[in-house]
Amino acid sequence: MRRLGIFSLSAMNVRRGLVAGCVLTAIVRVPAAPLPRSAPEAQGVDSAGVLALVGALEARVHFVHSVMLLRHGQVVAEGWWSPYAPDDVHILYSVTKTFVSTAVGFAAQEGKLSVDDKVLSFFPDLDPAHPAPQMLNMRVRDLLRMSTGHEHDSIPLLRASPGGAWTRAFLAAAVEFKPGTHFLYDSGGAYMLAAIVQRVTGMTVEAYLEPRLFQPLGIRRHPWGLSPEGVDLGDGGLSLRTEDLAKFGQFYLQRGMWNGRQLLAQRWIDAASSLQTSNGSDPNGNWDQGYGYLIWLNKGGGYRADGALGQFCFVFPAYDAVLAVTSGTSDLAGLMDTVWKFLPPAFHYVPLPPNGAAREALRRKLSSLALPVQAGASASPREAALSLQPFRLEPNERGLRSVAIDFSGAEPVVLLEDAGGRHAIRCGLGKWLRGRTDFYPRISDMWAQKDSGIAACAAWADPDTFVAQLCFDETPYILTCRFHFEGSRLDLSLDNPIRWETALRHLEIRGEAAPRGQL
């Protein structure tokens, strides 16, 4: 089998520019094909049961951002917690891995690779002089099953590699155990699968999936971050709308079939979604039920694509159902346990009689979902004196140089200056105001982007303390900015408590008033 020894990408596939070591692939736009909608009872789903699920999620999990439930291929319930909205893409983190394994399935179907191929065979130009003995035996199958033989996740090693040579770093790394013999969640292995797909197809995973998966399913926006060497971040860089995530689950539920066409072989879907590696012994553990091809098996039956901070695509073949969820939470187990407890009792195997009252209660609930806005007063007697007063900030980890707040209009505008320039963010009083921003381009942790969605709200916690919440609505993150004014001094605190990995959670910065007109 001849393989392409390239990582080159065409201008069609890559947005020009390199930002902080990674670039973002172009957003592809094709006509959307929405899923059909149905009343829950018509598909054998109890509206009251779904309402109980949504209420339980709100009570236990902070915060869920969207839910979409499919039964028999029909959307029977959907909701977004404002400021999140139906057309927003949302970074999916490790849900991305399941899309990568799907790309491997297409490549295998087309004869471009086999799951039994050795990993080193794809990279003769990057083959280390003295590879680890166990690296010689590592196969594509081992990457898919999270059984690479590494003792620790290799992704930190890849990110720290000189010159951004992630693939070379993986191939040269130590492999402590025989590949295929034990489970270890290895995000670096998922990245390598993206690199292998790129090698054998000559295009990124995103570009390769475009005609095979994204276009047939009508998935119209799918920003996907790139590594410094131009490979899609197969470990967690894909963003999708909630409905597109649900379509992906339905595609798996239908065993690779879509609109009467068998896009991906049933045998691949069946293998990918069945036990390939044992990964624990706790019968109650959400991550102990076994692992497929970059797919987790569920404690509650079925399987799922599973991403950091509560990004999920649950597939329940026994109920002919799919549940897509996006979130910003550290309680992933709590979210899943809530689903296992409340969702199965809502399913029935025959249509139910219409229940207008329950359906209306569910409709009202889903249409009024919202994250809490900042509590406090809408004005302070200090506004006139503080409006557009610039404050120079001490050196800080975030790289902020100065701030000011414009109180002259109907809504306050937070003005921030950093190395990337000046940023103006309009904040709603008692409501979220949506917009776009180039502030905090690495908010997702995965890659940098110059423009992202933002929604903001604000209030005065007391006459001297103004608090703004900045919701980066294409991510799970809400940054709370607390401005405390005392004489000529500003005490600014930034809080982002729900974070992935080791990114900034809390930062306190002191500032001093500067002459007006300098910001």
Side-chain angles (χ1 to χ4, degrees):
M1 185 187 306
R2 299 291 294 174
R3 299 190 175 90
L4 301 176
I6 59 172
F7 278 123
S8 60
L9 302 174
S10 72
M12 292 176 60
N13 295 331
V14 180
R15 179 181 296 170
R16 291 290 185 182
L18 182 68
V19 184
C22 295
V23 295
L24 182 67
T25 52
I27 293 176
V28 179
R29 300 184 185 276
V30 298
L35 291 164
R37 267 63 178 173
S38 173
E41 280 72 20
Q43 305 303 322
V45 181
D46 179 12
S47 291
V50 179
L51 180 61
L53 169 66
V54 174
L57 287 173
E58 279 197 311
R60 177 167 182 174
V61 182
H62 300 285
F63 293 100
V64 178
H65 297 154
S66 70
V67 293
M68 180 174 284
L69 177 62
L70 276 59
R71 185 83 192 284
H72 307 322
Q74 309 269 324
V75 178
V76 296
E78 57 189 310
W80 287 260
W81 278 258
S82 176
Y84 292 89
D87 206 41
D88 289 343
V89 295
H90 199 290
I91 188 168
L92 299 178
Y93 288 114
S94 287
V95 169
T96 303
K97 293 179 171 69
T98 311
F99 284 82
V100 173
S101 73
T102 304
V104 174
F106 279 110
Q109 179 171 280
E110 295 170 9
K112 297 180 183 299
L113 57 79
S114 163
V115 295
D116 292 317
D117 287 341
K118 300 292 181 64
V119 172
L120 278 172
S121 71
F122 298 96
F123 306 99
D125 54 319
L126 301 178
D127 194 344
H130 302 287
Q134 300 290 8
M135 177 62 73
L136 298 171
N137 300 316
M138 191 184 298
R139 302 165 298 170
V140 171
R141 185 189 305 276
D142 301 321
L143 303 179
L144 288 166
R145 298 190 305 152
M146 292 290 183
S147 58
T148 59
H150 290 119
E151 186 173 9
H152 305 288
D153 188 353
S154 61
I155 199 67
L157 178 68
L158 273 57
R159 292 174 182 158
S161 60
W166 289 23
T167 300
R168 187 183 297 275
F170 184 93
L171 299 175
V175 182
E176 291 80 4
F177 306 107
K178 182 180 179 180
T181 60
H182 78 293
F183 177 87
L184 173 78
Y185 194 77
D186 187 357
S187 290
Y191 174 80
M192 286 301 297
L193 287 169
I196 288 171
V197 169
Q198 186 157 327
R199 276 282 168 136
V200 301
T201 66
M203 60 188 76
T204 64
V205 170
E206 179 189 15
Y208 181 63
L209 287 178
E210 176 63 22
R212 293 163 177 83
L213 182 72
F214 292 139
Q215 285 190 4
L217 270 61
I219 296 176
R220 62 185 178 86
R221 293 180 62 211
H222 40 86
W224 199 326
L226 292 172
S227 75
E229 62 184 1
V231 175
D232 278 333
L233 295 172
D235 55 314
L238 175 63
S239 297
L240 288 179
R241 301 181 312 144
T242 308
E243 182 163 347
D244 296 330
L245 181 58
K247 289 178 180 179
F248 183 64
Q250 187 66 28
F251 169 75
Y252 262 77
L253 181 63
Q254 295 171 179
R255 300 172 69 201
M257 179 80 71
W258 197 262
N259 286 341
R261 294 174 55 205
Q262 191 70 45
L263 304 180
L264 184 56
Q266 291 181 5
R267 63 181 180 275
W268 178 270
I269 299 290
D270 292 344
S273 58
S274 61
L275 179 65
Q276 296 290 338
T277 308
S278 295
N279 60 354
S281 57
D282 181 357
N284 295 313
N286 280 299
W287 292 274
D288 291 68
Q289 308 307 309
Y291 200 76
Y293 288 165
L294 303 188
I295 291 176
W296 296 91
L297 304 189
N298 289 333
K299 179 174 66 176
Y303 53 90
R304 70 185 184 274
D306 180 326
L309 305 177
Q311 323 317 315
F312 291 108
C313 183
F314 299 101
V315 180
F316 303 104
Y319 300 110
D320 195 26
V322 171
L323 177 66
V325 179
T326 63
S327 313
T329 181
S330 57
D331 188 12
L332 276 67
L335 191 156
M336 284 188 279
D337 287 341
T338 302
V339 170
W340 313 149
K341 179 178 180 180
F342 287 92
L343 191 56
F347 293 135
H348 300 266
Y349 289 103
V350 295
L352 300 175
N355 187 337
R359 184 183 177 191
E360 177 60 18
L362 177 61
R363 186 201 66 77
R364 288 198 305 268
K365 179 65 174 178
L366 292 173
S367 64
S368 62
L369 297 172
L371 300 185
V373 296
Q374 179 60 43
S378 60
S380 164
R382 298 198 61 186
E383 282 186 358
L386 290 170
S387 186
L388 291 175
Q389 170 61 60
F391 289 84
R392 293 295 175 190
L393 303 177
E394 63 185 9
N396 59 86
E397 181 182 349
R398 182 63 202 88
L400 286 172
R401 296 174 178 174
S402 63
V403 300
I405 305 174
D406 183 358
F407 293 108
S408 62
E411 293 100 11
V413 180
V414 175
L415 305 167
L416 306 135
E417 182 182 16
D418 58 16
R422 296 175 179 176
H423 318 278
I425 300 172
R426 192 164 59 103
C427 302
L429 298 172
K431 62 183 179 181
W432 295 96
L433 288 182
R434 290 168 56 95
R436 306 291 299 178
T437 187
D438 56 359
F439 175 59
Y440 212 157
R442 290 197 68 90
I443 186 69
S444 73
D445 298 320
M446 295 296 297
W447 74 88
Q449 59 191 76
K450 294 182 178 179
D451 177 66
S452 60
I454 195 168
C457 62
W460 288 91
D462 59 56
D464 301 314
T465 307
F466 181 78
V467 183
Q469 292 192 49
L470 311 182
C471 175
F472 293 81
D473 54 34
E474 295 171 354
T475 80
Y477 302 127
I478 297 178
L479 181 66
T480 300
C481 306
R482 189 178 185 88
F483 303 82
H484 179 72
F485 303 99
E486 187 173 339
S488 64
R489 194 179 81 188
L490 167 67
D491 291 317
L492 171 62
S493 67
L494 305 178
D495 285 283
N496 195 359
I498 303 297
R499 295 299 297 173
W500 178 69
E501 293 199 329
T502 57
L504 172 67
R505 295 175 185 271
H506 177 77
L507 182 63
E508 295 185 0
I509 310 170
R510 178 167 293 186
E512 292 292 335
R516 289 182 179 272
Q518 289 195 5
L519 182 64

